[in-house]
Amino acid sequence: MILEMKVPSPGESIKEVEIATWLVKDGDYVEKDQAIAEVDSDKATLELPAEASGIITLKAEEGDAVAVGAVVCLIDTSAAKPSGAAPAVAEVKTEAPKAEVKVEAPKAAPAPATTYATQAPSPAARKILDEKNIQPTDIVGTGKGGRITKDDAVNAVPSMGTPTGGSRGSERTKLSMLRRKVAERLVSAKNETAMLTTFNEVDMTNIYALRDQYKEEFKAKHGLGLGFMSFFTKAVTRALQLYPDVNSMIDGQEKIAYDFCDISVAVSGPKGLMVPVMRSAETLSFRGVEAEIKRLALRARDGQITVDEMTGGTFTISNGGVFGSMLSTPIINPPQSGILGMHNVVERAIVKNGQIVIAPVMFVALSYDHRIIDGRESVGFLVAVKEALENPIEILMNNNPKKALEL
């Protein structure tokens, strides 16, 4: 029996996916539920499991855009599983690429990088070379018989000295569907929102002291690290409740306001930036935030994050500080209206009680959509975040750190 495997729908709004990587080869025997391919949607990378056991025939190439519901492979479920003869088949298959490499190699040989043009440039090419003050013997012609074409002249770069070796190659690869969608959304956010950024700085002294005092006990009790993200998430959800316009978004000519805080957290995954969502973050304890962030980060790293887990956030927190960023202007994650950028912590000279002291300071940035959030709300929100982070015991822990940390 021949089973047609069709592309399942990764989400309600997704109409097509892209075959990122085939994890099996044409003619392989696959087991039911074995991952046979990785497919990119515009929101996530997902694994495609085999629906049955049998010999597989691929019907799409890597990089192909395939509509949801289209057939991507056939599985012959009546085929017997290969026995001890399978390794011999594998050896034959591994030899084939070697033969192809030998065939391809001579194609690169006729035009080595050190070959100079033996024909005069075309008139148009000569004019361009003269304008650039480049000698024809300094570039390689790609025209017939080594003739320098107009394109060769346009692409020629004036020599800045005698080449002394080293690689000067380049590679062109197709962007994944996920990366193309991220690029599209970023450009859309810049073009379709009235984005503005306001900045502040946070003295992290008290948070450092709390972490130093309780991190070992917290880890022993909960098996989790006590990081900055739990403090920032608690500070953000409090500020969103004080300034609800920051936790709203525009839909046409209407404003949608939320009485919950679904916090999107930007994390780096193997396929690029992922933004999974912590649901109802305002209800989570410090332990709950740390556990959820760890869970989502591991799923993003392992490529297991789902579309549902990255949909529906009301506000985003991005921590560029883990990569060493001092200051940035984060781009809004549409259709949200605000994003908070965290940065690295550096010891700086600040004034406390009329005295210049050294303290660990983090710059923070709030980018917001000025169409729906006014300056008073944006600045007030960021000040509220700063106040909570500089006075965490009083504002975030109700003067009882052990209870807040569930110790």
Side-chain angles (χ1 to χ4, degrees):
M1 175 183 173
I2 302 297
L3 171 69
E4 293 184 338
M5 268 199 60
K6 300 178 180 179
V7 178
S9 175
E12 187 176 334
S13 62
I14 297 175
K15 304 302 181 186
E16 70 174 12
V17 298
E18 184 176 284
I19 305 297
T21 308
W22 280 111
L23 304 177
V24 296
K25 298 188 291 294
D26 197 44
D28 279 359
Y29 185 88
V30 298
E31 300 282 358
K32 183 180 180 181
D33 296 327
Q34 174 187 344
I36 60 173
E38 289 182 351
V39 296
D40 284 342
S41 71
D42 58 12
K43 295 182 179 177
T45 298
L46 308 169
E47 287 188 345
L48 186 66
E51 296 177 5
S53 300
I55 300 294
I56 191 168
T57 302
L58 308 183
K59 292 295 184 183
E61 301 289 337
E62 290 184 357
D64 284 356
V66 184
V68 170
V71 176
V72 286
C73 65
L74 305 177
I75 299 178
D76 184 357
T77 59
S78 61
K81 183 176 182 178
S83 57
V89 176
E91 288 176 9
V92 173
K93 289 186 177 182
T94 56
E95 289 300 321
K98 294 181 182 178
E100 291 175 5
V101 172
K102 290 178 182 178
V103 172
E104 292 296 330
K107 293 182 180 179
T114 56
T115 300
Y116 292 116
T118 58
Q119 300 267 345
S122 68
R126 166 64 71 182
K127 184 174 185 297
I128 295 171
L129 291 176
D130 288 344
E131 290 173 353
K132 291 184 174 184
N133 196 25
I134 298 175
Q135 294 299 317
T137 53
D138 291 339
I139 65 174
V140 177
T142 61
K144 187 175 181 180
R147 187 176 179 83
I148 299 173
T149 66
K150 180 180 178 182
D151 285 344
D152 295 333
V154 169
N155 295 324
V157 178
S159 174
M160 300 303 290
T162 303
T164 57
S167 174
R168 291 179 58 79
S170 62
E171 182 182 7
R172 183 185 295 268
T173 56
K174 184 179 180 181
L175 294 175
S176 68
M177 181 178 286
L178 177 61
R179 174 54 62 183
R180 295 198 304 269
K181 189 62 178 180
V182 168
E184 181 183 310
R185 285 169 62 84
L186 292 176
V187 172
S188 173
K190 292 285 286 185
N191 292 340
E192 297 177 10
T193 64
M195 196 173 78
L196 208 61
T197 305
T198 185
F199 304 93
N200 216 315
E201 62 180 14
V202 177
D203 179 358
M204 302 288 285
T205 300
N206 290 331
I207 288 181
Y208 266 63
L210 273 170
R211 292 180 69 240
D212 287 344
Q213 183 176 355
Y214 294 110
K215 65 181 180 182
E216 296 300 331
E217 189 177 353
F218 188 85
K219 186 171 184 178
K221 177 73 178 291
H222 305 302
L224 299 164
L226 181 59
F228 291 147
M229 281 301 297
S230 52
F231 289 95
F232 271 81
T233 301
K234 298 292 287 182
V236 162
T237 55
R238 170 183 175 270
L240 289 175
Q241 291 169 330
L242 292 174
Y243 297 92
D245 279 353
V246 185
N247 196 43
S248 59
M249 58 187 67
I250 288 180
D251 183 15
Q253 296 184 347
E254 297 178 333
K255 179 178 82 170
I256 304 175
Y258 300 96
D259 61 359
F260 56 86
C261 302
D262 282 357
I263 305 298
S264 303
V265 183
V267 298
S268 180
K271 296 287 185 177
L273 185 69
M274 303 278 186
V275 194
V277 180
M278 285 189 291
R279 308 290 177 189
S280 299
E282 78 281 4
T283 67
L284 298 177
S285 63
F286 282 84
R287 180 190 62 79
V289 171
E290 294 293 353
E292 184 65 358
I293 287 175
K294 181 179 180 180
R295 183 185 74 84
L296 293 172
L298 289 175
R299 288 178 62 78
R301 184 198 66 188
D302 296 338
Q304 298 176 341
I305 208 79
T306 66
V307 173
D308 288 342
E309 287 174 312
M310 294 198 296
T311 304
T314 63
F315 185 87
T316 296
I317 300 176
S318 176
N319 185 6
V322 296
F323 304 111
S325 170
M326 182 189 78
L327 189 62
S328 67
T329 55
I331 298 178
I332 295 169
N333 180 21
Q336 298 173 18
S337 298
I339 177 172
L340 179 73
M342 300 165 56
H343 301 91
N344 62 354
V345 180
V346 177
E347 288 193 340
R348 293 187 170 92
I350 63 172
V351 178
K352 284 186 178 182
N353 301 319
Q355 300 293 320
I356 297 177
V357 298
I358 303 299
V361 174
M362 176 191 287
F363 293 141
V364 290
L366 172 71
S367 290
Y368 61 97
D369 190 344
H370 209 347
R371 296 177 302 166
I372 195 171
I373 303 170
D374 292 330
R376 186 184 72 85
E377 282 74 24
S378 62
V379 173
F381 171 90
L382 202 54
V383 168
V385 170
K386 171 185 169 71
E387 290 173 345
L389 294 171
E390 292 185 341
N391 301 280
I393 294 178
E394 177 185 350
I395 297 177
L396 301 180
M397 296 178 164
N398 198 26
N399 291 310
N400 193 338
K402 279 188 163 293
K403 182 178 180 180
L405 297 175
E406 302 174 51
L407 300 176

